[in-house]
Amino acid sequence: MNFRKLSIAVLFLSASGSVLYAQETKKDTIKNEKKIEGVTIKGTTKKGSESNIINLQKRSVEVIERVGSVQLAKQGVGDAATAVTKATGTQKQEGSGQIFVRGLGDRYNSTTLNGLPIPSDDPEFKNINLEIFKTSMVEYISLDKVYNPKFSGDFGGANVNIASKEHSGKPYFKIGIGSSINLQTFDKGNFKLQDGGPGFFGYKTSTFIKGNPYQTYPFKTKWNFKNADNPFNSDMNIEGGASFGKFSLFGYAGYENSYEYSEGQEGFFFANGLPNKDYSDVQRSNYKTNTTALVNLGYKINSNNKINFNSNYIHSSDQTVRIYKGYAYDVDRNVIINRGDNKITTTWINQLFGTHKIAESWTADWALGYNMLNSKRPDRLQNTIDAENFNLLAGSAINNHRYFDELKDNTVLGHAYLTKSFDKFKVTVGYDGSYKDRKFDNTTIGMNFNFITPVDPENIDGFINAGNNSLFTYQTFQPSQRLFTPFFYTIKQNLQSGFANVDINLSDKFIVQVGGRYDFIDLQTRWNDAVMGEGKKNKTYNKFLPALNAKYSINDKQNVRLSFSKTYTLPQAKELIPIAYYDVTSNVYGNQYLYPSDNYNLDLKWELFPKSGEVLSITAFGKYIQNPIARTTYSTSAPSDMSYFNIANWGYIYGAELEFRKDLYSWSNSKLYTFLNGTFMQSQQELKSEAEFSKENNGKIAQFSGQDKDDIQGVANFLANVNLGYNYKWANDNSVDFVVSYSYVGKNLYALGTNNTGNFYELARNILDANVNFSLKQIGIGISAKNLLNPHYKIEQSNGAGVFVHRDYTKGRQIGLNLSYKF
């Protein structure tokens, strides 16, 4: 028997650089296919290339949707949050890096890095802010909207998996620099920064003096804001990779910052149309930094065994200064509010993976992870000033305060999977386990004044300073003997899971995957809060989750898929623990009486692959949710108080998705291509009655506006992404890509209103970006123009008295230039 070695680049399902040994073909699955005996096929492939992603989507039993590094580079996409919005059925929640998938927001989604869960950087959210993951260190981003038992059962919208880059091919070293300007920011002489903020690189922290505040002035930083000297965005990064025998190494390190200034308005109105808060002039200055480093080390023991170690360090800061001018009902006057807020987060993710082929038909995969997170809001400040006489408002210590908090999260986790292949079917069994220990501390230092005098709103330090300490009364909401003991919550979460999947080849064209997962969840919580007091609660849940995935290949270019599953949605720590979070326009409280939702998911998909790198697919989907969770206002003396409830008995979402990638026209060395997608959705939920609310939530009542059914939060009627690209290649190593990207996000329910105040709706917006990338041998040049239409990010409150502005501002157009050199 003769053996021939073919050294070619191939597309395949395993990791790049694998060696595939083709055995003698026993059955032809495609008509006229030739039999090949004893061929060893070697090659590498870019897992982030469009052709490989489409090929994997075609062959997989499960429904897979990915956005690869090649496509992201063409579009000039710089972070994972924006990258995910290029996938079908997704939208980004304004004001955060959180993603809505098929209308379902943060609590319904999950985020993993290389298949292992990673912690949130903010106690407000379940998922980490995807903006802090830079696409330069990403091979691809997978959006799994269809459940299979390998995923955590806490799944409703999607699992977002970020695959780190792994080096293959020739060694290289690359350095890049860039800068951009926001056209409504760069020429503003009043872009504000906080004295106690994180500084240019985002590492500076501040604290307070814990002595007796009546003898020692407790604050180390100024109350006054300062102006930014040069609000220009900057970006610098290095990356490289090399192979050393059986070892491969990829490394990335980068830093970037951004400035964004906006002017707008915010408000909250009663049912009769009178304002509770009506800030007609709001100035926002937002400064962000992101420092990221990644090391991915691979060791290929032999053709059957491989180990990878991945370590990812992420440090981010987010500083916002807001100056509100307008009417406040609680003090019944026009006010000026100075609000400075900053967050500093350090995340260190460590992962060890192993992949092993055992004998001819057995494979094993395992992973261990240790995640450490520290997130601080060091030195948030607020002043409230009478707009007529310029006196600092007394009476409530929260009107003038400093706030300090710290979140620590440590998680140990891992999984082990074992797969056995038979002639007609394949069996996979697995275990997942994680243990999370999270603690959140917070201290508020509120101020009242023994002496009132007018102040300069731009020079608060002229009055509040160490020399006038005897004029101030401090309030930390703790007894005097433990004045600076922080309020806190702790949560310990133990999750133990087992699953099994069976892939059955019913014929050469028909594959069915049947599986199930069992999740044991143990939650232990404790808290101490100024408003809600002390308490603790332990909860245990047992969940069994069946799943079905089926694929029928009509021919070599067409598939039909059907998927059904049951999943659940856990209340998150911030939703479940009765701690208060205060902002200018609303206060939010956790609710210890929440319980999980149950989700039923159904998908039917047809897909066509005309040629390599091209796809046309149409999907119909539906979700039925029992006892969905939502945030809403409720009946208290403060109409803007909010909490979380199992708001409805049931809710449903149904819709259709279209995805299309196609080379439109080719000539000479040029190509015109497109990739586009669109999603149509409808939703409804049956709201609970006042009696049901009171029974489930220890007397808390949510009164709606007379309706017993309504839309589900975040479900836009229509979403779309349209990309048109032009590619030209010359002299082998040179190319240019020009891509115009348009996105549409339809009107959707932002929040349900209670007490007849009406619902809040996020209005539709249109987004247009353009990007040009030149690749000239070793030199890369990128020119970007983003947010060219500069749409209004507007939320309206609608009730019987009319339609009012809840929030309205623009983000500004941005123009940038990036340069890179590859050695």
Side-chain angles (χ1 to χ4, degrees):
M1 185 164 49
N2 295 324
F3 289 85
R4 293 176 296 170
K5 289 192 176 181
L6 306 179
S7 180
I8 60 174
V10 295
L11 301 174
F12 49 97
L13 299 180
S14 58
S16 63
S18 297
V19 179
L20 305 182
Y21 293 96
Q23 303 299 322
E24 181 179 358
T25 305
K26 294 183 179 179
K27 283 191 177 182
D28 295 335
T29 58
I30 302 173
K31 191 176 181 179
N32 298 326
E33 182 182 18
K34 293 184 178 179
K35 297 180 180 180
I36 303 174
E37 293 187 1
V39 177
T40 303
I41 304 177
K42 291 186 177 182
T44 63
T45 183
K46 289 288 186 182
K47 289 182 282 185
S49 69
E50 293 165 81
S51 58
N52 189 53
I53 283 172
I54 297 298
N55 188 65
L56 185 59
Q57 178 178 330
K58 176 182 176 181
R59 295 177 181 274
S60 173
V61 179
E62 298 94 357
V63 177
I64 292 176
E65 187 168 350
R66 292 180 174 179
V67 184
S69 56
V70 175
Q71 176 181 327
L72 297 175
K74 290 178 180 179
Q75 294 174 272
V77 173
D79 63 81
T82 307
V84 172
T85 63
K86 302 302 180 183
T88 313
T90 61
Q91 69 191 82
K92 180 183 168 191
Q93 183 185 53
E94 182 44 37
S96 77
Q98 303 302 313
I99 301 299
F100 278 71
V101 181
R102 291 178 170 177
L104 297 177
D106 176 65
R107 73 173 60 83
Y108 290 98
N109 302 317
S110 56
T111 307
T112 55
L113 180 67
N114 303 312
L116 285 176
I118 53 179
S120 170
D121 61 322
D122 191 330
E124 289 277 346
F125 298 110
K126 170 186 174 183
N127 292 282
I128 195 168
N129 184 348
L130 291 174
E131 291 178 342
I132 65 181
F133 284 93
K134 311 319 295 177
T135 52
S136 297
M137 63 185 195
V138 171
E139 194 68 66
Y140 61 83
I141 298 171
S142 178
L143 187 71
D144 295 290
K145 294 178 287 188
V146 173
Y147 181 73
N148 79 72
K150 278 190 176 182
F151 299 138
S152 167
D154 189 0
F155 179 106
N159 180 78
V160 179
N161 182 54
I162 302 167
S164 301
K165 274 189 180 177
E166 181 182 352
H167 177 71
S168 62
K170 297 179 180 179
Y172 77 99
F173 178 76
K174 184 178 179 181
I175 185 169
I177 58 172
S179 183
S180 62
I181 58 171
N182 186 308
L183 297 182
Q184 73 179 27
T185 301
F186 81 98
D187 61 345
K188 298 292 181 183
N190 59 344
F191 188 98
K192 302 297 185 184
L193 295 171
Q194 188 179 336
D195 181 57
F200 181 80
F201 289 102
Y203 282 86
K204 180 183 174 184
T205 60
S206 56
T207 185
F208 58 92
I209 301 170
K210 295 184 179 181
N212 187 333
Y214 303 105
Q215 299 174 357
T216 304
Y217 182 70
F219 307 120
K220 294 183 177 181
T221 57
K222 295 180 179 180
W223 293 83
N224 294 347
F225 301 132
K226 56 186 178 181
N227 292 333
D229 295 327
N230 298 296
F232 300 104
N233 306 334
S234 57
D235 182 7
M236 359 181 202
N237 57 80
I238 57 173
E239 67 175 87
S243 297
F244 310 94
K246 295 183 177 182
F247 287 93
S248 66
L249 173 67
F250 172 80
Y252 172 88
Y255 166 81
E256 69 170 8
N257 63 6
S258 66
Y259 298 81
E260 183 183 298
Y261 176 84
S262 62
E263 296 177 359
Q265 61 185 109
E266 294 190 22
F268 188 98
F269 296 82
F270 292 111
N272 59 8
L274 295 176
N276 174 263
K277 303 178 190 297
D278 186 11
Y279 303 121
S280 57
D281 180 3
V282 181
Q283 300 174 32
R284 297 168 174 245
S285 301
N286 181 232
Y287 177 66
K288 295 181 180 180
T289 71
N290 183 16
T291 303
T292 305
L294 170 74
V295 173
N296 193 322
L297 180 64
Y299 177 58
K300 188 174 181 180
I301 302 170
N302 53 42
S303 60
N304 293 328
N305 298 278
K306 187 178 180 182
I307 295 175
N308 275 81
F309 173 72
N310 185 78
S311 185
N312 193 182
Y313 169 84
I314 304 169
H315 181 89
S316 64
S317 71
D318 189 340
Q319 178 182 178
T320 302
V321 170
R322 291 173 287 176
I323 301 174
Y324 298 83
K325 297 178 182 179
Y327 176 78
Y329 174 83
D330 55 347
V331 293
D332 193 23
R333 69 192 71 192
N334 288 325
V335 296
I336 300 170
I337 299 176
N338 294 336
R339 174 90 167 189
D341 198 356
N342 64 85
K343 184 181 72 168
I344 300 173
T345 301
T346 301
T347 307
W348 191 17
I349 303 166
N350 297 281
Q351 301 174 329
L352 183 65
F353 302 89
T355 302
H356 310 278
K357 183 177 180 181
I358 308 169
E360 192 62 31
S361 59
W362 290 86
T363 59
D365 299 276
W366 56 268
L368 295 173
Y370 180 51
N371 302 330
M372 294 178 287
L373 180 140
N374 183 280
S375 183
K376 300 178 181 179
R377 278 187 171 90
D379 203 9
R380 185 185 77 197
L381 65 85
Q382 179 175 321
N383 295 116
T384 307
I385 305 161
D386 189 313
E388 295 181 5
N389 57 31
F390 296 104
N391 290 334
L392 287 167
L393 292 183
S396 173
I398 206 69
N399 284 330
N400 300 276
H401 75 268
R402 296 282 184 107
Y403 170 88
F404 306 81
D405 74 22
E406 183 172 18
L407 170 69
K408 294 181 179 180
D409 186 301
N410 294 279
T411 307
V412 180
L413 66 165
H415 66 233
Y417 306 149
L418 186 64
T419 300
K420 168 67 174 176
S421 296
F422 298 90
D423 185 37
K424 292 289 186 178
F425 62 96
K426 181 177 72 174
V427 179
T428 301
V429 295
Y431 160 81
D432 284 285
S434 68
Y435 180 78
K436 176 187 291 290
D437 188 351
R438 167 176 284 199
K439 185 174 183 182
F440 177 72
D441 293 331
N442 67 92
T443 300
T444 301
I445 306 176
M447 300 187 68
N448 274 318
F449 309 100
N450 303 323
F451 175 75
I452 300 296
T453 186
V455 299
D456 179 354
E458 296 187 5
N459 185 23
I460 303 299
D461 287 291
F463 176 64
I464 305 181
N465 56 55
N468 288 338
N469 195 49
S470 62
L471 304 178
F472 313 141
T473 301
Y474 298 95
Q475 173 62 271
T476 68
F477 310 99
Q478 290 276 30
S480 57
Q481 65 269 23
R482 49 190 181 98
L483 196 64
F484 291 115
T485 301
F487 293 101
F488 71 91
Y489 78 70
T490 64
I491 182 165
K492 299 180 187 295
Q493 178 177 299
N494 182 18
L495 173 62
Q496 303 296 320
S497 306
F499 77 89
N501 266 341
V502 181
D503 295 3
I504 307 170
N505 292 281
L506 297 177
S507 72
D508 292 338
K509 294 183 176 183
F510 192 23
I511 302 176
V512 175
Q513 181 187 86
V514 181
R517 182 182 180 95
Y518 168 74
D519 279 1
F520 168 80
I521 310 110
D522 180 48
L523 295 173
Q524 300 179 21
T525 59
R526 291 180 59 236
W527 63 85
N528 184 11
D529 181 69
V531 176
M532 309 305 291
E534 295 186 63
K536 64 179 181 179
K537 199 158 192 173
N538 298 339
K539 295 190 176 185
T540 301
Y541 304 105
N542 294 275
K543 296 289 186 179
F544 175 71
L545 310 168
L548 167 72
N549 290 285
K551 182 183 79 168
Y552 180 75
S553 300
I554 299 172
N555 53 44
D556 192 41
K557 293 186 176 182
Q558 294 186 74
N559 295 325
V560 176
R561 301 176 182 272
L562 176 68
S563 301
F564 171 78
S565 61
K566 178 186 177 182
T567 57
Y568 62 88
T569 300
L570 279 180
Q572 298 309 302
K574 189 256 179 179
E575 300 171 344
L576 189 62
I577 299 174
I579 286 276
Y581 295 80
Y582 300 98
D583 206 342
V584 173
T585 55
S586 64
N587 305 321
V588 184
Y589 302 84
N591 180 7
Q592 61 179 300
Y593 301 104
L594 283 179
Y595 52 91
S597 306
D598 287 320
N599 313 316
Y600 297 87
N601 316 288
L602 180 66
D603 279 69
L604 179 63
K605 183 174 186 176
W606 170 79
E607 52 193 11
L608 170 68
F609 304 91
K611 65 178 185 179
S612 177
E614 296 183 351
V615 63
L616 169 64
S617 67
I618 300 173
T619 305
F621 66 88
K623 293 180 180 291
Y624 180 80
I625 306 171
Q626 290 182 319
N627 301 301
I629 300 169
R631 184 177 76 172
T632 183
T633 55
Y634 65 101
S635 300
T636 68
S637 58
S640 58
D641 279 356
M642 304 183 105
S643 188
Y644 300 90
F645 301 97
N646 293 98
I647 200 167
N649 293 305
W650 52 260
Y652 64 78
I653 302 170
Y654 68 87
E657 295 176 340
L658 169 71
E659 181 187 13
F660 182 57
R661 301 189 192 192
K662 175 70 175 173
D663 292 342
L664 299 176
Y665 185 67
S666 299
W667 70 99
S668 185
N669 295 323
S670 298
K671 180 174 70 173
L672 192 66
Y673 58 93
T674 187
F675 38 99
L676 57 88
N677 55 62
T679 304
F680 165 80
M681 291 184 289
Q682 293 287 298
S683 70
Q684 192 175 82
Q685 57 185 336
E686 182 186 68
L687 303 173
K688 293 185 176 178
S689 66
E690 291 182 28
E692 288 174 305
F693 269 105
S694 180
K695 182 179 179 180
E696 289 186 357
N697 298 284
N698 196 31
K700 285 183 181 179
I701 297 175
Q703 299 171 322
F704 297 105
S705 302
Q707 79 275 38
D708 57 4
K709 294 180 181 179
D710 215 321
D711 296 335
I712 293 178
Q713 176 188 346
V715 180
N717 288 340
F718 187 63
L719 302 170
N721 290 289
V722 181
N723 302 272
L724 183 63
Y726 168 75
N727 173 262
Y728 174 67
K729 296 181 179 179
W730 73 97
N732 295 325
D733 296 327
N734 302 320
S735 67
V736 59
D737 269 286
F738 174 56
V739 179
V740 177
S741 302
Y742 166 78
S743 298
Y744 174 83
V745 179
K747 182 179 179 180
N748 61 90
L749 179 67
Y750 180 78
L752 281 169
T754 55
N755 302 321
N756 295 309
T757 57
N759 290 345
F760 298 80
Y761 293 94
E762 187 173 14
L763 299 191
R765 61 182 182 269
N766 301 274
I767 303 164
L768 182 65
D769 299 333
N771 194 74
V772 181
N773 277 324
F774 294 91
S775 296
L776 308 173
K777 293 186 178 179
Q778 296 169 290
I779 299 173
I781 303 172
I783 303 171
S784 62
K786 298 182 179 180
N787 200 36
L788 291 172
L789 300 177
N790 198 22
H792 283 254
Y793 287 77
K794 190 173 185 178
I795 300 170
E796 289 183 343
Q797 180 184 357
S798 178
N799 60 32
V803 178
F804 307 94
V805 174
H806 175 64
R807 187 179 301 167
D808 184 12
Y809 63 95
T810 59
K811 301 182 69 174
R813 299 173 177 89
Q814 185 172 302
I815 298 174
L817 173 67
N818 288 277
L819 304 172
S820 65
Y821 187 84
K822 188 174 182 178
F823 297 89

